[in-house]
Amino acid sequence: MTKQRPSVSIVYAVENATIDSADSLRSIIGQTLQDCEILVTGLLVNKLAGKIDVGNKQIHFINTKANAGVYGSFNKGMQHATGTYLCFVNPNEFSAQTRLESQVEVLKGSRLLGCIGSALEHQQDYVNLPVTHMPPLKDADIRIGFLKSNSLILSTALFRSAWLEKYNLRFDVSRGQAAAYEFITRCSENFKLGNREDVLVTVKNQHYGDATVRRKRKKNFDQLRLHLLSRLKPSLTTAEKKLHLALMNDEYLSDEELDNAIEWANTLLGENYKKNIYPHKQLLRFFETQIQNSVHRNNLGGWSIEKGLLNFISTLIKPGERILEFGSGEGTGVLLKKYKVTSIEHDINFAYQRDGDHTCLHAPLTEGWYDAAIVKKALKEEYDLVLVDGPPRETRANIVKYAALFRQHKMTVIFDDMDRQADKAAMIAFCEKLGYSYTIMQGTSKQFALCTKITGKTQTTRKS
């Protein structure tokens, strides 16, 4: 008797023959859609045979080569998949029980749609509330979104298997961490994509590795962004490439760069008008959003240092001089345009080197503040300015407990966010312990404190 073809093939990639999260696999096994097969791929995964209870679902274990990686494992699984539809899952991804059933229903109801995704929820152990990412919903907006990033997340996608086979679509493992991004963009060149509005997949505790891994990932993503851009403008100058990537990567743009970005967006809109690659109204809306975000970023503020503070720093130190920064984020990139920066950061997701003039030290919170041993190591160096803009919330005030670490230095110190009473009190206590005077100054919309070492015998503090 001929074996019935399953409705969905689920390619589940693991590394080193271990299932890192049993809950993740259970979320697949527990799908309300029963008619599916699970293909567990990875190095020596046949060792897991008999150790996983999948109920009445089919399961196959497919070994890969040692250097296959996640995307090589996905390719291997695709070779063995027999389902009408196909999806890809990692151990840190969790699917809603009705995910496959609801997505199959959408694809059955739309013969022109080759892939359906959904909104995605990120959860981190150190964040109280999950963050939901809502990609564009329409095919045209998804394709335009690829100019910036992966606007249909592979974790959420369900594909028509026959269409992947028809267009010979496989993951290009040479793309590294950009392989999923590149794979989806090629899919979009051959068939329509769509997204559901509801959250069907949750990704837990995802970060992008150390500085080397992040730089490589960014390089891979940037190469793909420029490749996609070449459809609009095949010949690009070095300056155009740099400006375009800064705009797509949400980098801080100076006033001059912002003017150039507006002109650049108009140039691309003109090219699209002639070539009709994207719907013009959607592309116009896309660039309007990018420019509006760049204008907002240019003003700085919020979690970042403000423009007023940035301008004030330029009166204190010269370009190329050194800053020690507590807390790393959007403001770091701004400072690096002029200065050499050493950052101390507690969050592994922000603790990475941004360019050659940047040193970033990961210092987890220990006893309410940064790891003192790492701070002590950083303070063995001399700096022209210290900027205190972290750690977040109430932990920032605990710098007072570790003030002795700064005792041997006479560096100027700036404390941001002096509108917060707890932070202001901590700054005053810090100055009193170390013999600093302080001046509270008004920035663009919030206050900061300039703290300088008192050289005379009398210790005073002042504010204005």
Side-chain angles (χ1 to χ4, degrees):
M1 186 174 72
T2 304
K3 191 174 183 180
Q4 185 178 357
R5 182 181 187 183
S7 179
V8 177
S9 293
I10 304 161
V11 182
Y12 191 93
V14 300
E15 295 185 47
N16 301 319
T18 61
I19 298 292
D20 296 328
S21 175
D23 288 341
S24 173
L25 187 58
R26 278 195 288 269
S27 77
I28 291 297
I29 296 169
Q31 289 291 300
T32 54
L33 181 74
Q34 294 297 311
D35 183 19
C36 57
E37 65 175 359
I38 302 171
L39 301 108
V40 181
T41 62
L43 181 62
L44 301 176
V45 293
N46 60 320
K47 292 181 179 180
L48 298 171
K51 298 181 180 179
I52 302 172
D53 181 10
V54 295
N56 61 352
K57 289 184 172 64
Q58 303 175 45
I59 187 164
H60 309 281
F61 297 91
I62 304 167
N63 289 332
T64 60
K65 295 179 180 179
N67 60 349
V70 170
Y71 299 111
S73 295
F74 284 161
N75 283 338
K76 190 74 170 179
M78 290 172 73
Q79 294 174 14
H80 294 265
T82 62
T84 304
Y85 307 102
L86 182 66
C87 68
F88 305 94
V89 181
N90 283 310
N92 68 327
E93 297 165 358
F94 302 79
S95 295
Q97 285 189 326
T98 58
R99 173 198 167 180
L100 296 180
E101 184 177 12
S102 60
Q103 289 183 309
V104 166
E105 184 179 350
V106 172
L107 291 180
K108 283 183 176 180
S110 177
R111 294 183 178 277
L112 296 178
L113 205 60
C115 171
I116 182 69
S118 78
L120 177 75
E121 185 177 84
H122 279 283
Q123 289 184 348
Q124 303 284 10
D125 285 343
Y126 53 85
V127 176
N128 292 329
L129 296 175
V131 178
T132 300
H133 297 262
M134 179 62 72
L137 299 179
K138 297 179 181 179
D139 174 67
D141 290 331
I142 293 171
R143 289 189 294 112
I144 292 170
F146 287 143
L147 290 169
K148 176 180 173 64
S149 61
N150 192 352
S151 55
L152 193 153
I153 309 301
L154 182 71
S155 308
T156 72
L158 183 70
F159 300 89
R160 293 186 191 272
S161 301
W163 291 16
L164 296 180
E165 191 66 32
K166 177 181 178 180
Y167 298 109
N168 193 29
L169 293 165
R170 297 291 185 270
F171 293 94
D172 181 354
V173 296
S174 69
R175 295 283 185 173
Q177 290 191 24
Y181 182 6
E182 192 270 345
F183 175 78
I184 293 282
T185 60
R186 278 190 289 119
C187 289
S188 73
E189 294 168 0
N190 291 285
F191 48 75
K192 286 190 174 183
L193 311 175
N195 272 329
R196 291 175 59 94
E197 296 186 27
D198 47 345
V199 175
L200 296 180
V201 177
T202 298
V203 177
K204 294 188 178 180
N205 296 326
Q206 182 180 40
H207 65 83
Y208 297 109
D210 61 17
T212 302
V213 172
R214 286 172 179 265
R215 284 196 299 271
K216 187 174 181 179
R217 179 178 184 271
K218 183 178 182 298
K219 181 180 178 180
N220 288 334
F221 273 61
D222 284 348
Q223 288 172 344
L224 186 53
R225 290 181 179 111
L226 293 177
H227 170 71
L228 294 170
L229 177 64
S230 67
R231 297 180 65 198
L232 280 173
K233 199 171 186 297
S235 181
L236 296 166
T237 67
T238 301
E240 286 172 340
K241 291 178 182 178
K242 183 178 180 181
L243 179 62
H244 182 76
L245 291 176
L247 185 62
M248 295 300 103
N249 283 313
D250 296 330
E251 295 177 11
Y252 172 85
L253 300 179
S254 66
D255 292 347
E256 181 181 356
E257 290 170 330
L258 190 56
D259 289 339
N260 291 339
I262 294 171
E263 184 177 343
W264 174 242
N266 285 324
T267 297
L268 295 180
L269 287 167
E271 292 292 327
N272 185 69
Y273 190 79
K274 290 185 289 185
K275 298 174 181 176
N276 197 29
I277 296 172
Y278 301 105
H280 192 72
K281 286 185 178 180
Q282 283 97 322
L283 189 64
L284 173 61
R285 186 171 64 239
F286 171 80
F287 279 116
E288 283 178 341
T289 300
Q290 299 309 307
I291 295 299
Q292 287 169 3
N293 290 340
S294 293
V295 170
H296 176 74
R297 200 172 295 111
N298 173 268
N299 292 327
L300 298 173
W303 291 103
S304 173
I305 61 173
E306 287 189 320
K307 202 168 185 177
L309 174 53
L310 181 66
N311 292 336
F312 181 75
I313 289 174
S314 68
T315 68
L316 295 178
I317 61 175
K318 300 175 182 177
E321 292 191 319
R322 302 184 66 192
I323 295 176
L324 175 62
E325 171 195 47
F326 288 87
S328 183
E330 193 170 279
T332 305
V334 182
L335 294 171
L336 283 166
K337 286 182 175 288
K338 285 188 177 182
Y339 311 109
K340 297 177 181 178
V341 180
T342 295
S343 303
I344 295 176
E345 172 59 45
H346 78 286
D347 186 340
I348 188 63
N349 289 290
F350 294 96
Y352 62 94
Q353 184 182 12
R354 286 161 173 78
D355 71 15
D357 286 330
H358 186 218
T359 300
C360 193
L361 303 175
H362 180 219
L365 297 184
T366 304
E367 298 182 5
W369 199 63
Y370 299 110
D371 187 321
I374 295 173
V375 176
K376 185 177 181 180
K377 178 182 177 181
L379 287 171
K380 289 181 179 179
E381 304 287 335
E382 289 293 329
Y383 304 93
D384 301 289
L385 178 69
V386 176
L387 175 60
V388 180
D389 195 25
R393 296 180 290 277
E394 67 277 358
T395 56
R396 188 176 306 186
N398 290 330
I399 189 174
V400 178
K401 299 178 183 178
Y402 298 91
L405 295 172
F406 299 81
R407 194 173 297 281
Q408 75 275 24
H409 292 283
K410 297 181 180 179
M411 301 173 292
T412 299
V413 180
I414 289 179
F415 283 78
D416 198 11
D417 299 309
M418 289 297 96
D419 301 275
R420 303 175 188 170
Q421 291 305 309
D423 289 353
K424 181 179 178 181
M427 178 276 297
I428 294 172
F430 178 90
C431 289
E432 289 176 346
K433 278 195 171 188
L434 297 180
Y436 275 77
S437 64
Y438 67 87
T439 302
I440 294 179
M441 310 183 75
Q442 181 62 49
T444 308
S445 61
K446 59 181 182 178
Q447 295 179 330
F448 61 90
L450 174 67
C451 307
T452 54
K453 193 79 170 181
I454 299 170
T455 55
K457 293 183 179 181
T458 305
Q459 180 178 324
T460 60
T461 58
R462 56 192 174 87
K463 53 185 175 181
S464 64

